[in-house]
Structures are given as structure tokens and as C-alpha cells.
Amino acid sequence: MAVKLKSTNREDLTKSATKEIRNSGKVPAVVYGQNKEPRAISVDSIELVKTVRDEGRNAIISLDLENSDAVDVMLHEYQIDPIKDELIHADFYVVNMSEEMDVEVPVRIDGEAQGAKDGGVLQQPLYVLQVRAKPNNIPEEIVVDVSALQIGEGLTVGDLPSASNYEILDEQETTVVTVTTPDTLEDIEEAPDEDDKPELVDPEAEPLNEENKE
């Protein structure tokens, strides 16, 4: 069931009006998609943040449009003020609930790898997966159980459990998580470059004195 969110039309698109909207605790936004004309709106900042936090980045939102019927949307893009760390703009995309769409879904590691317990280092090179599904079938996250992984073992996209209601688009051989030995990790971090290696000195050579210096 879609989460409901109320919106208000924005008629004045000047900077001063936009600033006033933000000062009132709302977020200026645009809703578009499915052959609908883009529409400038504003939504309550706290309600939007709460919806994304509770329901996930790919939540289906029933957006209540002023003087119009509600539409099913997803949060497509958003902007954060880097200084104030506040939401300052949002884009909502109207979705067709009967059509598949491509989205990014976060990967969550579950359990403690046996290899990590034995001294190995758990590494996760992939944090999101590309998924194709109908809006109501998009998973909030994809959980990967790493409990059985030993040192030197890993999981690829092809090792993940298959699902009947969505498709993972990433290459099957793409590594999701792996357990490496501490020595391997140190070798990668501490291996010197060729330019950093010390110059070899001939033990038979005479020391350079001040008179031979140029």
C-alpha cells in the first residue's frame, strides 16, 4: 500500500518565494512523468524525510495533488544543502504500477562471516544492485547472508538467491562481498611503488667525499 503525502501547488517560482517555502518547513518540488506536464509543488519536509526513512528510498508514495487526483510517485532525485544538511529540493516521478522499471536497491550484509571470526577481513565492494521490477515488487533492500564464508571465499551476484518478482541486472560474476586474509590486505596497502624503492649501493664503491661532489 502506497504511503500518502500531501502537496501544495507552487504558483510563484521566484527565489524569494522558494526561500519562504523552505523557511516554513516545506520543500519545493516538481512532479512529472507518464506524459504528464511537470508540476511545481511543495511538500512537508519532515513528512518526506520520515517517509523515506521508514519506507525506503524506493517507496511508492500516493501524492495528494491540490485540486487534482492523487498520483503514485517515487522520489526520483533530491538535493541536500551541504552546509545545513537540509533537504532543499525534490523530484517526484509518476509511475505506472503495471510496468517494470529499473532502480537501485541497497545491499545489506547479514551475519558475521566465519572467516572474519578466524582473523580474515570482510570486504564489500558492492553496496547497491540494479533491479528491474514492477513498483510494488521493488525490494527495500537485498539481504546477503555471509555467515558461512571462510577466508578466501566470497559471493557474487550469481550466488544471490533468485526472486520471482524482480530481476537483478548486474553481471553475474560481479563480486558482492569477500573475505580476505589480513596479509593480503596489508600487501595491497603497503606495496611500494617502483619509484619508492631505495637505490642499490655497490658495497665496493668508495664513499663520495666533498672533493668529488659536483
Side-chain angles (χ1 to χ4, degrees), residues 5-13 18 21 26-32 37-44 48 61 63-66 68 71 73 88-94:
L5 185 66
K6 291 184 178 181
S7 70
T8 304
N9 290 338
R10 283 194 297 139
E11 305 294 343
D12 188 349
L13 303 182
T18 301
I21 287 174
K26 294 186 176 182
V27 178
V30 176
V31 56
Y32 59 93
E37 288 293 328
R39 187 168 179 173
I41 61 172
S42 64
V43 297
D44 185 273
L48 177 56
I61 300 172
L63 188 62
D64 185 6
L65 297 174
E66 189 176 4
S68 183
V71 291
V73 302
I88 59 175
H89 192 273
D91 285 358
F92 295 100
Y93 184 77
V94 180

Side-chain angles (χ1 to χ4, degrees), residues 191-202:
D193 295 333
E194 291 296 326
D195 294 340
D196 294 335
K197 290 183 178 180
E199 183 180 353
L200 295 179
V201 178
D202 185 353

Side-chain angles (χ1 to χ4, degrees), residues 121-180:
V121 179
L122 182 72
Q123 294 184 298
Q124 182 184 352
L126 191 65
Y127 286 88
V128 294
L129 289 165
Q130 305 295 323
V131 170
R132 177 173 295 162
K134 292 181 179 179
N136 274 336
N137 293 331
I138 297 172
E140 181 178 342
E141 60 184 9
I142 293 178
V143 180
V144 179
D145 184 2
V146 299
S147 304
L149 287 183
Q150 304 287 341
I151 293 176
E153 295 181 341
L155 294 173
T156 66
V157 170
D159 296 322
L160 302 182
S162 60
S164 60
N165 55 358
Y166 66 82
E167 176 188 2
I168 298 177
L169 303 178
D170 296 81
E171 296 292 338
Q172 294 289 292
E173 64 271 15
T174 302
T175 300
V176 179
V177 63
T178 183
V179 181
T180 62

Side-chain angles (χ1 to χ4, degrees), residues 84-101:
K84 298 181 180 180
D85 193 29
E86 295 177 353
L87 187 64
I88 59 175
H89 192 273
D91 285 358
F92 295 100
Y93 184 77
V94 180
V95 297
N96 185 332
M97 301 301 288
S98 63
E99 291 184 358
E100 291 184 329
M101 58 187 304

Side-chain angles (χ1 to χ4, degrees), residues 44-117:
D44 185 273
S45 177
I46 294 178
E47 287 299 319
L48 177 56
V49 171
K50 183 177 184 299
T51 297
V52 175
R53 184 184 65 236
D54 295 346
E55 305 297 330
R57 176 70 170 76
N58 295 319
I60 303 301
I61 300 172
S62 177
L63 188 62
D64 185 6
L65 297 174
E66 189 176 4
N67 302 323
S68 183
D69 295 333
V71 291
D72 291 322
V73 302
M74 290 178 63
L75 180 61
H76 183 59
E77 292 182 349
Y78 60 91
Q79 296 176 9
I80 300 289
D81 186 314
I83 298 177
K84 298 181 180 180
D85 193 29
E86 295 177 353
L87 187 64
I88 59 175
H89 192 273
D91 285 358
F92 295 100
Y93 184 77
V94 180
V95 297
N96 185 332
M97 301 301 288
S98 63
E99 291 184 358
E100 291 184 329
M101 58 187 304
D102 296 349
V103 296
E104 289 186 345
V105 176
V107 176
R108 179 170 66 84
I109 299 301
D110 184 48
E112 183 179 0
Q114 183 59 49
K117 294 179 181 179

